[in-house]
Amino acid sequence: MESAGVGWIAAIVIGGVAGWLAEQFMKSNLGVLMNIILGIVGAIVANAILSVFGVVLTGWLGYLIAGFIGACILIAIGRAFRR
């Protein structure tokens, strides 16, 4: 998170927003804590996946986009394992 130029408190806030956006987009019903976790972990996962393709997202907006993409991926993986 520090490499993206985002501190811990901002990561929690941005992660929560990214998780909430992913929750709305994927039409799932998760809690606030799960949204924050999905947003933060999703940003880490998405940054790792995107870095393989040479795409680097930095700053608040990049962290939000990566968090959204990663959270959507994690929600889809969770749904696949539940079925």
Side-chain angles (χ1 to χ4, degrees), residues 1-2 5-12 60 63:
M1 281 171 274
E2 291 298 326
V6 178
W8 283 101
I9 295 173
I12 292 170
W60 291 51
Y63 192 83

Side-chain angles (χ1 to χ4, degrees), residues 43-82:
I44 294 168
V45 169
N47 276 326
I49 292 170
L50 292 173
S51 68
V52 171
F53 297 106
V55 178
V56 178
L57 300 174
T58 59
W60 291 51
L61 185 59
Y63 192 83
L64 180 66
I65 293 168
F68 173 74
I69 293 169
C72 287
I73 291 169
L74 292 176
I75 289 171
I77 289 171
R79 284 182 180 170
F81 278 114
R82 274 192 229 144

Side-chain angles (χ1 to χ4, degrees), residues 13-23 35 38-39 63-68 71:
V13 172
I14 296 169
V17 172
W20 178 80
L21 289 171
E23 177 186 53
N35 285 342
L38 278 173
Y63 192 83
L64 180 66
I65 293 168
F68 173 74

